[in-house]
Structure formats: C-alpha cells, structure tokens
Amino acid sequence: GDSVTQMEGPVTLSEEAFLTINCTYTATGYPSLFWYVQYPGEGLQLLLKATKADDKGSNKGFEATYRKETTSFHLEKGSVQVSDSAVYFCALGGRGTGNQFYFGTGTSLTVIP
Amino acid sequence: NAGVTQTPKFRVLKTGQSMTLLCAQDMNHEYMYWYRQDPGMGLRLIHYSVGEGTTAKGEVPDGYNVSRLKKQNFLLGLESAAPSQTSVYFCASNGQGSYYGYTFGSGTRLTVV
C-alpha cells in the first residue's frame, strides 16, 4: 500500500545552516507530494507541494523536487532561521475513493541562535 | 476566512465517559477527515467522509464513531473513552482532488485518565 518514510529526528541546527530532511515514498502511479509544517500548539500547514515528476515545490526559502526515479521528495533550505523550528511532515495525497493523504512520522527541527 | 474550526481545544475525560468532538469547515469542501497524532507515529486516519451523509473507516477506527449530517460539519464521538485514546485529534478538509492539499484545524488535545 501507499506509504511515506521520513528521516527521523530530532534535528538540531545552528542558525544559517543548511537543512535537508529526507522523504521517500511507496505508491503506484504518480501521487501528489506535499510537505506540511506544524508549529508548537498548532495544526499542520501546507508548506509546499509538487504534483508531477521533476516538479519543484518552493515556499519561504524551502524547496523540494519530486524525483520519480528515486521515489523521493527531500526538503531543503539553504539557511535556516530560529523561526523555522517546527515539526515537518512529508505526505503523499489524493489516493483512493477518499482522496486520502498518507503522512510520514514527522521530523522535529530545532534551530539554535 | 475561518477555514477549519475544532471544538473543544482541550478536554480531560475519565475512563468510560463519552464525548463528541466537533469539526466545522466553511470552504464547501466535500472531503473531511479525522486524524489522531501520537508521538513517534505521525498522523493516523480514524474516519473520513466523502460527502454529506457518508462516512468510512480509516486506519484506526476502533472505539470511535463519526457522523456527517451537514456538509460543513464532521463529528467524532468516543462512546466509552479509554486511556489509549489520549492523543491530539486533528480534523482536516479537502476539496475535489489533491491539488490544494488538506486544510487542518488547530487540534483537540484529549487526555483520558
């Protein structure tokens, strides 16, 4: 069945460091892929998405490229800030009759000044 | 633009008590979902609905019931709460297709003692 495997955390980085959070998926066909972010005490918010192979999603300095050949959708940011501290979830979506999404287990990121 | 509103935000129940969590969306979305979030396990789908009057089981439906009598509302019920149901519950909604992703509520933190 469909699933998402996400890099385990927690991840701690210094401000301005480079961030990579790995995400791979298992699915038939060409699912849409998403990254969501969850700030403390809040719900998940859509960060970026890609709907077909080789698409690059980007938002707020974050980027992820849909790689069909490696079934991956790794999240990157060139220079993290303290305000990026949050939990990040990779997801694949729009599956089945319920248009269901499948989420990874989340990666906690803490950025220290 | 309220989006998805969940009530209540916090609740403490005694084992065996019942309660209902309410989710309301104002985006005219067809699809609605209830997830639970537990440490190290990401988000797991409890039940979902593909339209008014419909419901379907997700990954972890046992101990929960749902109803969608009106398109904008999706209720999650716990008939006899158990400590294993201590969790953070998120409601989400989605329009037709996966292009826009889910819109999440801010969550309900439930503790069963």
Side-chain angles (χ1 to χ4, degrees):
Chain A
D2 296 341
S3 66
V4 173
T5 302
Q6 194 175 331
M7 170 179 155
E8 290 193 16
V11 175
T12 302
L13 294 174
S14 297
E15 205 164 24
E16 299 184 2
F18 185 85
L19 169 70
T20 299
I21 300 177
N22 291 337
C23 172
T24 58
Y25 69 90
T26 300
T28 56
Y30 298 88
S32 297
L33 300 174
F34 302 80
W35 277 99
Y36 281 82
V37 59
Q38 183 181 32
Y39 298 104
E42 299 183 10
L44 281 72
Q45 303 173 23
L46 179 63
L47 180 60
L48 54 83
K49 65 173 187 249
T51 57
K52 61 182 186 292
D54 299 325
D55 265 4
K56 177 183 284 188
S58 62
N59 187 24
K60 299 181 181 179
F62 291 89
E63 293 182 340
T65 301
Y66 188 162
R67 302 287 188 199
K68 180 67 176 175
E69 64 276 11
T70 55
T71 62
S72 65
F73 193 54
H74 305 320
L75 182 68
E76 297 181 335
K77 186 174 186 182
S79 177
V80 293
Q81 305 300 312
V82 172
S83 58
D84 294 327
S85 298
V87 180
Y88 293 82
F89 291 89
C90 184
L92 66 86
R95 312 295 283 174
T97 56
N99 199 33
Q100 294 164 248
F101 278 48
Y102 294 88
F103 292 86
T105 53
T107 302
S108 175
L109 169 67
T110 300
V111 180
I112 54 178
Chain B
N1 287 346
V4 177
T5 302
Q6 288 183 237
T7 54
K9 295 190 183 303
F10 302 93
R11 185 73 185 268
V12 178
L13 285 180
K14 294 182 179 179
T15 298
Q17 287 185 320
S18 63
M19 78 164 294
T20 300
L21 282 67
L22 172 63
C23 176
Q25 53 98 0
D26 61 0
M27 297 168 287
N28 202 36
H29 283 171
E30 291 293 333
Y31 300 89
M32 296 186 75
Y33 310 84
W34 276 106
Y35 284 86
R36 59 178 290 172
Q37 183 181 30
D38 302 292
M41 303 193 75
L43 279 80
R44 293 182 291 169
L45 182 63
I46 304 171
H47 285 281
Y48 64 96
S49 168
V50 301
E52 181 178 314
T54 75
T55 63
K57 294 180 180 179
E59 181 185 355
V60 288
D62 294 341
Y64 305 95
N65 57 74
V66 288
S67 65
R68 187 136 179 234
L69 300 179
K70 294 182 178 180
K71 186 177 183 178
Q72 63 267 35
N73 296 335
F74 195 31
L75 278 64
L76 178 71
L78 286 73
E79 290 186 347
S80 179
S84 60
Q85 294 177 304
T86 294
S87 187
V88 180
Y89 292 85
F90 286 100
C91 177
S93 72
N94 183 245
Q96 205 88 20
S98 66
Y99 186 78
Y100 295 104
Y102 279 4
T103 301
F104 279 88
S106 58
T108 296
R109 184 174 294 276
L110 174 67
T111 303
V112 182
V113 298

